[in-house]
Every structure is written in structure tokens, then in C-alpha cells.
Amino acid sequence: MLSLDGGGVRGVISVAFLERIEAILSAQAGENVRLGDWFDLVGGASTGAIIATGLALGKTTADLKDIYYRLAPHAFRRSRLRIPLLQPKFDVTGLRREIEAIVGEQTLDSGELRTGLGIVAKRVDTASLWIVANNPRAPYWDTPRDGNFIANRQYKLINLLRASTAAPTYFEPESIPILENVQGLFIDGGVSPHNNPALALFMMTQLKPYRLCWETGCDKLTVVSIGTGGYRQRLDRASLGRMQNITIALHALRTVMDDSQGLALALMQWFGQSPTPWSVNSEMQDLLHDLFPAGPLFRFLRYDVRLEADWLTEHLGVKLSEKDLARVREMDNPDSIPLAYEIGRLAAERQVKAEHWNGGADTPSPRL
């Protein structure tokens, strides 16, 4: 299973990791490997949903890299007539056009999808999380005889991807027909507990209503989770000024997504056995020696970078100015893509090991 985080243009960091994985698998197979043929389920939130869908449609990592370099300048184009605070930051026309160039008019039941695909979005009008997958055994896959709802299989990929990437304040929400004369209003899947969707996708393979019921165990299931670069959003108390209460409230809301990602990482490392342990926090550390009571449910590989000056210098030998560090952290700046990709490429060289992918015995890598 492959899980891909959200993160705007920083999704190119994930592409760099996927390039390395694709190269290792191709070398081991002695022929070019398409990751969409190698994984049984790929899924993502927001920008990760675009990558996952591309892979499921058989695109190479070179194709995905090209998509980011081409898509971002068109997608993140400011509307000249935008009214600040009242309208989204960007005109959605460019983003829709670029996504449509990838998926066309295909629906979730398209025969062009080579593997399982999961897309995370949030239906804001009913405050419900949606993880829509091309699983023909799942509830809501087929339209009932009474026509009470529109079947998941009929949803267009363009609409699902637009829904998953409709980041509040950046792009307008996406409306999708749910029932006759009823439109669901959707926003970015990252604005949920599952911007790192690994836990949600794993649950989908286990819970009985989905009727997948995959076998667990390190020799039966591997979960690969790839990030887009994270960092701690610190608050400078000296800059609070007279707007202290509002500033703290907004900062707390912004960091909820980071807290959710930390929880997902902690649970996946606890449930699984990982040769790539990441520190969750200074108290829990990396959970390498904390074993789930029932034994590991899967083998867990997590690849990511920390967009912190000290981490980049220590682990990658990269020294960035404060200006460049701030730029590469942005999710909506196309100019940061070359730098973000280079950081991802360097990290992939160090983190993604051939032994992770050849079925051999794993040994823990240095702490990440």
C-alpha cells in the first residue's frame, strides 16, 4: 500500500522519493517498472491524491515530475478581480484544466486504473470525511434500485481530485452531485485528520464494511508512507502585539493538521515494524522499541524531510538562507519547486535503500 501526504507544490518532494523507488524496483526487475503495477492500493490527500491517481493510471515518475513543473504555474495563478478575505486566493480554472489533462472524463470505475485508488476529501456541508475508492465491494459503489444516491463508481476523477485539492482560502470548494437535486460541497482532504492518509487507508483494508479484509503481518503487508516535508510552526510571542487572542487562536487552528499528522505517524509506527523510524516527539521518540501488544500488523516505510535548518544541514548537508527556507515551506509558490525537488532527491538517496524493496532482512536506518 502506498500513502501520499498533502502539501501543495511540495508534492514534488514525494515525486523525488517515488523516482528513487521506481529506479530501485526497475533495477531489481531488469526492466522498467510502473509503480501503479507494483502497489495494490495507492491513495492520497490533496496533492497526494493527484500523484496517486497518476500512478494508478500508469504514469511514470518522470511524467509526475513534469506535471508539477507544468501544473503549478497554471494552478497557482491569482485572480486579478479577487477580493481579499472574501474570495479564494487563486482562480480554480487553471487547476481544473491541468487536472483534466491528466484524467480526462474518466470515472472512478475506469478500466484505465491499474490498481486500487483512494482519494481523501472532506464534505463540508455535512461535516463528513470521505475516502472514495475504486473498491467494487464497498458500500455506495453501485446505485441502488431505488436510485437513492449516485454510485461512487460514477464519480468523475476530475471532480474527486478537485474536491481533494480544494484548500480553503486557496481554491473554491467543489460541488459534486450526491443525490438527485442534491450537491455535496467538498474541500481539501488535508483539512481533516488524514492529510497523512496512511492510517485511514490501512483501516479501509481492514474494516468489515469495506469487505477487503487484507491479511496482516510483516510478511504479508507493507505500508509505504511518503511526506511532502514538515516543520514545526512556532509562534513568536514577541510579535503577538494587540491581536494576541486572535493570533493565538488562528495559530492553534493552523497547527491542528500538524498534530493529526503526528498522531498518524505515531500510530503507524506503533502498529508496524519499521526500518525507517522517525521521531514523533521528544517524549515518545521514535517508538522503535514500543511493540504493539498483538505484534506488528505490517511493515512500515516512512520517507519524508524536515524543513528545518538544523535537520537539513545535519541529514542532507544543505544550508539554506532564512529566505530560501521560508520559500520552500510555502505550499503555493511554484518558484520553490526546483529547490523542493532537489531536497527531496537528496533525501531519497539517503533514505530509500535497496534492501527495503528486495524482501531481505531490514535493519533500522539512522534516526530521522
Side-chain angles (χ1 to χ4, degrees):
M1 187 182 84
L2 174 64
S3 169
L4 298 156
D5 291 11
V9 298
R10 298 204 314 260
V12 77
I13 294 174
S14 299
V15 172
F17 282 109
L18 291 169
E19 274 186 330
R20 172 75 171 160
I21 296 169
E22 183 184 74
I24 288 174
L25 292 175
S26 296
Q28 292 175 352
E31 60 183 5
N32 291 333
V33 169
R34 303 263 175 151
L35 295 180
D37 295 328
W38 202 88
F39 288 98
D40 298 296
L41 171 64
V42 295
S46 193
T47 194
I50 294 177
I51 299 173
T53 303
L55 293 176
L57 289 170
K59 294 192 180 297
T60 65
T61 56
D63 295 330
L64 294 173
K65 181 181 175 183
D66 179 67
I67 287 171
Y68 270 86
Y69 276 80
R70 187 189 73 243
L71 179 149
H74 295 286
F76 293 96
R77 180 176 294 171
R78 293 176 184 267
S79 173
R80 295 180 180 179
L81 302 178
R82 170 182 175 264
I83 302 174
L85 302 180
L86 296 180
Q87 292 178 303
K89 189 175 182 179
F90 300 106
D91 184 347
V92 76
T93 304
L95 176 62
R96 173 173 284 277
R97 185 187 304 117
E98 293 301 319
I99 294 177
E100 198 165 18
I102 302 170
V103 302
E105 291 295 309
Q106 295 183 81
T107 53
L108 193 60
D109 65 355
S110 170
E112 296 297 312
L113 292 171
R114 299 178 177 217
T115 189
L117 172 65
I119 296 174
V120 181
K122 180 165 183 168
R123 186 176 170 188
V124 70
D125 59 310
T126 58
S128 54
L129 175 70
W130 280 43
I131 303 176
V132 186
N134 60 338
N135 171 18
R137 301 176 185 176
Y140 306 112
W141 176 252
D142 288 307
T143 302
R145 291 181 180 179
D146 60 8
N148 190 40
F149 58 82
I150 296 173
N152 284 5
R153 67 186 307 165
Q154 297 179 19
Y155 291 150
K156 289 186 176 181
L157 293 176
I158 173 63
N159 293 337
L160 293 176
L161 291 180
R162 255 290 296 131
S164 187
T165 56
T169 75
Y170 289 90
F171 296 105
E172 64 185 42
E174 177 74 2
S175 292
I176 299 178
I178 304 300
L179 310 171
E180 186 176 354
N181 301 320
V182 175
Q183 299 274 330
L185 191 65
F186 290 85
I187 60 174
D188 195 311
V191 191
S192 77
H194 300 296
N195 189 59
N196 174 350
L199 179 62
L201 293 171
F202 171 67
M203 291 173 64
M204 189 173 70
T205 69
Q206 300 299 309
L207 300 181
K208 287 182 173 60
Y210 296 101
R211 293 193 289 177
L212 292 175
C213 302
W214 284 9
E215 288 188 271
T216 59
C218 293
D219 59 335
K220 297 181 177 68
L221 176 59
T222 295
V223 178
V224 183
S225 173
I226 302 181
T228 59
Y231 63 96
R232 181 171 294 183
Q233 299 187 56
R234 302 176 186 275
L235 180 65
D236 182 6
R237 296 183 64 178
S239 64
L240 289 177
R242 301 171 68 180
M243 303 289 286
Q244 176 171 311
N245 289 337
I246 294 176
T247 302
I248 291 175
L250 291 174
H251 179 79
L253 289 173
R254 282 197 299 267
T255 58
V256 166
M257 190 164 69
D258 296 335
D259 296 338
S260 297
Q261 293 212 158
L263 178 59
L265 178 62
L267 289 174
M268 293 303 287
Q269 291 193 165
W270 186 34
F271 293 159
Q273 182 183 80
S274 180
T276 59
W278 283 79
S279 176
V280 177
N281 57 44
S282 59
E283 188 172 23
M284 285 193 287
Q285 300 181 37
D286 58 25
L287 302 178
L288 183 61
H289 301 293
D290 282 276
L291 303 179
F292 188 58
L297 301 177
F298 46 76
R299 188 167 160 271
F300 183 59
L301 298 171
R302 173 67 176 179
Y303 303 124
D304 200 2
V305 300
R306 297 294 301 171
L307 296 175
E308 308 274 5
D310 292 345
W311 191 96
L312 292 170
T313 300
E314 178 184 351
H315 292 275
L316 304 183
V318 173
K319 296 183 178 181
L320 297 183
S321 66
E322 290 187 10
K323 180 179 179 180
D324 282 340
L325 184 61
R327 181 163 60 97
V328 80
R329 287 175 170 179
E330 293 175 343
M331 294 190 296
D332 61 343
N333 183 358
D335 294 337
S336 70
I337 287 178
L339 178 57
Y341 171 76
E342 182 62 16
I343 288 172
R345 187 189 66 80
L346 290 172
E349 285 183 355
R350 290 159 173 77
Q351 293 179 29
V352 185
K353 307 294 184 182
E355 57 265 27
H356 296 167
W357 299 91
N358 63 9
D362 287 321
T363 55
S365 302
R367 299 298 192 272
L368 301 176

